[in-house]
Amino acid sequence: MPTIRNKLPLLLTALFRFMAVLSFGMLLQLRLRELGASVLLITLLSTIRGAITTLSSPVWGAVSDHFKERKLFLLLSLGVPTLLYPIYAILDIPYTFIIIAGVIAFFSSGYDPIAMAMSTDLADGSLVSTSHELALLNSASSIGMFLGRVSLSVLLLWLSVKNTILFFSAISLMAFIQAFFIPEKANTPEVERRKKRSFIFPSAIFDINRMKRNGLWAVYLGSFIRQFGIAGTTSLIAVYMTEVVGLSKSLAVLLSGLNPLLQIFSHIFFGKVIGKIGSKISLVIGIYLSGITPLFFALSKNWVLVALAYLSLGVAFGAFINGAATFITLNSPQHKKAEFLGLLRSARALGFMLGPVTAGLIAEHSYAAMFIFMMTVTFFSGTMVLLFSRENPED
């Protein structure tokens, strides 16, 4: 049984990685706005990153499953972005951000499926054990997100956006260094046989029988639509909070920290109760709670409802991601876990790609209409998962 000492390097890698990465989302919105970028261009950045992640995440998962060199590919997915992040502080032409963001998105897309696969490799294959390991990893990620938002809020009081970018580039380097200490798992003879095959192709999405199993397809589709709604809601949220609600940059970032703060407790809570209520119910609860978030934003006149929006989103994410990842892990082939988890990342990334550009088009006319639209599609996705997915794995 793996000890916490063996798990700690992966958990610290997740903490530092998410402390940096999630801060860049808001920093780039603010940096592009400083450079005079339009609302549509800011949402286009999210669209490009989502498109690349959608295509590349299953590939990273398939390669990781094939070679089982998870640590090596994890280091690659962390190292290249770490080298490129400081360039954001140098660029002053808005459209050039898209090129750098695209390269970073390609390598970063490997992190989620590989890290989750490494985490579930520590489980014994049961519902309780799998949800427990994923909850630990996701809790570490949310702690990093929270620390990142608090740090970002404080730093923006004293530093420029450019210098803050350099600070979080250094945090990303800490994640890369920490990943070197993750214990490596020895390859089995079966893995060595798979290594000799020269052709690697991510085939999960074409496995029709597997997708039909327990309504697995509904989980992927529901995850896509849920991410469409949430990505659309948050793609312009820094601009909305500062220019429409009238909050300062520092307060806007501080309030956004409520999301990862609640995620920490949500991951722990749902990681425990999934063993009792099942992964499907946890997933559905997470999607429905996500749908409340854009409604709160639409009604916001001051910081109070903004805070409630982030609180609901924080609770929602722990229920959603632990439910979805556990459901997929238990319904995917043992030798293709990273690939199927990569497909979850792709489904979410596709929503991350299409949601923001849709939000940008609607928000050009009305922020309220954009929030209501995103709320509606999110609630629809929860209903679809509720109706078409089934809890008990089949033999």
Side-chain angles (χ1 to χ4, degrees), residues 21 42 59 69 78 94-95 109 113 115 133 147 207 227 230 235 245 257 281 291 341 344 356-357 367 382:
V21 170
I42 295 173
V59 176
E69 298 286 353
L78 292 167
Y95 285 98
S109 65
E133 296 298 337
L147 293 176
D207 192 342
Q227 194 65 35
I230 294 304
S235 62
V245 182
I281 297 301
L341 288 167
L344 172 63
V357 72
Y367 276 105

Side-chain angles (χ1 to χ4, degrees), residues 3 9 29 37 44 50 86 113 121 126 132 136 147 180 194 200 202 239 250 263 293 317 319 329 347 350 388 392:
T3 64
Q29 290 184 41
L44 181 62
D121 282 343
S126 68
H132 173 73
L136 279 177
L147 293 176
F180 278 97
R194 285 204 301 272
I200 307 170
V239 176
S250 179
Q263 283 184 26
T293 299
F317 188 71
T329 298
L350 187 61
F388 293 105
N392 296 321

